Amino acid sequence: MQQMLLICRPGFESDLAAEIQEKAAARAVFGFVRAKPNEGFVVFEGQEPDAAERLLKGLPFQDLVFARQWLAVVAHLPQVDPQDRINPILEALSGQACHSAWMSYPDTNDGKGLSKLVRKLERPLEKALAKQLNSKAGFHLHLFFESGTDIWVGLTPVKNAAPWPLGFPRLRQPPSAPSRSTLKLEEAWLQLIPEAQRASLLKPFQKAVDLGAAPGGWTWQLVQRGMQVTAIDNGPMDKALLDSGQVKHLREDAFSYKPPRPVDWLVCDMVEKPARVAELMERWLVQGWTRFAIFNLKLPMKRRWLEVSRILARMETELESAGCVYQLRAKQLYHDREEITVFAAPRHY
Ligand SMILES: C[S@@+](CC[C@H](N)C(=O)[O-])C[C@H]1O[C@@H](n2cnc3c(N)ncnc32)[C@H](O)[C@@H]1O
């Protein structure tokens, strides 16, 4: 397979294009990217016929910041008969075994309008594929609907992709959480911490610090996990959270606050220059004030990939030169707008 289709937040196509081109080239997979503004996806066109296989083998999906999901393209069917979508798909697949049948569409207004069609196709597709579906297969069949009649038939590896077809989990706003930002931290945990490690990393009685905490959406998540939280913000915190007995609110400046003792978790969601936040996080990690950190970096208006890659590379270098053996994992989450979320953890935890 020569092409990869990658899904992103609409408006970030050029950032994803720059990122995938750079990361593919670093693995000696050369090609160019077709990307149109606000379409919510890009297509990497490899030079070699096995470019997609080589990318899937050499590039961990979790290393991509701006991609929500990806598929190696088996066939592009730009004008499918709306009376019979399934047979051309089966023909394109030519008997390939698949773990399951996934369908997705761009996260645009037109794209979201396709969700009904996708639901309607689920049963008939699974029926038609019955002989090909096999839970041991390494790939999901992935149909990406550019429109109701323009379908990309592809394969998404079970073990090297986001575990949700569209690339993000559907989360409900908890009624007692004080802000919508709460979903950002919940999604970050699901997206950035592998499932097998989540329970051992997020445990009751752990100590956490939330920098820029008010009104308390992120603190709420930490409290739900049974943690003891120090919330730093000059603004007011949600009263019910303070009444939980698990939260200590300090009206201090996040840039000068020092924890009296090391903590397990640092989280930080401040609207600040990304380089300044990165430096603050470096300080906490290098000083050993926290073991794990999750923080947001606001994105610049232009050339966002360039800026993000510079900041992350600088952080990695600084941490390494201080003998701090850490890994950084960054992602633009579904709940992130003009920002990305970063998870920092000791390399061997
Ligand atoms: C986006 S809000 C945080 C929302 C919070 N994560 C939630 O889920 O409810 C950013 C917060 O950072 C705080 N903030 C900004 N700069 C700060 C600083 N230097 N020290 C402490 N808090 C700061 C603001 O007062 C604001 O409440």
Side-chain angles (χ1 to χ4, degrees):
M1 292 174 281
Q2 202 155 355
Q3 296 173 308
M4 287 292 299
L5 188 149
L6 299 99
I7 305 174
C8 62
R9 171 181 269 279
F12 290 79
E13 297 78 8
S14 60
D15 306 290
L16 175 55
E19 182 184 12
I20 186 67
Q21 187 131 23
E22 185 182 313
K23 289 184 174 166
R27 286 155 182 87
V29 182
F30 300 104
F32 68 97
V33 182
R34 291 183 202 279
K36 287 195 211 142
N38 300 311
E39 282 202 331
F41 71 99
V42 308
V43 177
F44 176 84
E45 306 267 355
Q47 276 174 10
E48 308 290 333
D50 62 348
E53 283 91 340
R54 286 173 50 217
L55 260 189
L56 292 179
K57 236 187 220 164
L59 177 58
F61 176 77
Q62 65 179 28
D63 287 1
L64 290 167
V65 178
F66 288 101
R68 284 182 177 173
Q69 186 55 285
W70 64 359
L71 43 137
V73 178
V74 173
H76 181 201
L77 311 173
Q79 281 178 318
V80 178
D81 177 359
Q83 302 304 320
D84 176 20
R85 293 182 175 88
I86 289 183
N87 278 312
I89 293 168
L90 292 182
E91 265 166 42
L93 263 183
S94 56
Q96 160 101 33
C98 322
H99 184 278
S100 42
W102 277 8
M103 288 184 272
S104 67
Y105 39 82
D107 187 11
T108 55
N109 285 339
D110 287 349
K112 283 179 211 153
L114 295 166
S115 63
K116 243 192 200 161
L117 169 69
V118 160
R119 270 201 305 275
K120 209 174 92 186
L121 282 175
E122 260 167 24
R123 282 270 169 91
L125 183 67
E126 277 183 9
K127 214 167 142 198
L129 280 170
K131 286 197 186 128
Q132 281 161 255
L133 291 181
N134 175 346
S135 60
K136 289 196 186 117
F139 290 92
H140 301 287
L141 160 65
H142 192 150
L143 305 175
F144 179 78
F145 287 76
E146 191 172 336
S147 75
T149 52
D150 185 339
I151 304 173
W152 295 79
V153 181
L155 297 173
T156 291
V158 174
K159 292 203 173 137
N160 189 18
W164 311 276
L166 295 167
F168 55 87
R170 296 232 176 253
L171 300 176
R172 281 229 188 103
Q173 172 71 20
S176 60
S179 69
R180 268 199 73 75
S181 310
T182 196
L183 295 180
K184 263 193 276 181
L185 186 55
E186 189 181 356
E187 187 189 349
W189 283 336
L190 296 175
Q191 290 264 18
L192 300 171
I193 307 179
E195 192 179 357
Q197 292 158 10
R198 223 171 282 142
S200 63
L201 259 64
L202 299 162
K203 284 192 298 209
F205 307 111
Q206 283 178 321
K207 305 265 182 288
V209 169
D210 184 353
L211 298 178
W218 286 32
T219 294
W220 186 91
Q221 292 287 344
L222 299 161
V223 164
Q224 289 301 302
R225 298 268 175 175
M227 298 189 200
Q228 295 291 331
V229 188
T230 305
I232 310 292
D233 204 306
N234 269 317
M237 290 290 287
D238 178 69
K239 180 155 179 327
L241 263 183
L242 297 178
D243 289 345
S244 70
Q246 286 168 251
V247 181
K248 183 165 151 196
H249 179 200
L250 300 178
R251 292 183 185 271
E252 286 189 35
D253 176 25
F255 289 90
S256 40
Y257 172 76
K258 258 192 210 169
R261 275 172 293 284
V263 296
D264 304 289
W265 276 95
L266 171 67
V267 299
C268 173
D269 178 28
M270 290 189 290
V271 185
E272 253 297 341
K273 286 204 183 95
R276 200 164 174 233
V277 172
E279 255 173 49
L280 180 64
M281 298 299 109
E282 264 163 49
R283 189 177 341 136
W284 274 72
L285 297 171
V286 168
Q287 299 292 334
W289 293 346
T290 187
R291 199 158 134 72
F292 300 103
I294 284 190
F295 53 96
N296 275 341
L297 296 176
K298 306 293 160 200
L299 293 168
M301 299 294 281
K302 285 190 205 150
R303 303 216 286 172
R304 292 170 287 206
W305 164 243
L306 189 68
E307 181 74 2
V308 161
S309 58
R310 273 192 196 145
I311 291 181
L312 294 175
R314 208 196 77 112
M315 258 191 105
E316 270 163 2
T317 314
E318 296 286 321
L319 289 171
E320 209 168 303
S321 64
C324 199
V325 188
Y326 261 72
Q327 53 172 315
L328 302 177
R329 202 173 286 158
K331 194 106 214 145
Q332 187 183 35
L333 306 177
Y334 175 72
H335 292 93
D336 283 336
R337 288 168 190 266
E338 294 293 324
E339 62 198 341
I340 60 163
T341 301
V342 186
F343 171 48
R347 198 162 297 158
H348 309 287
Y349 60 84

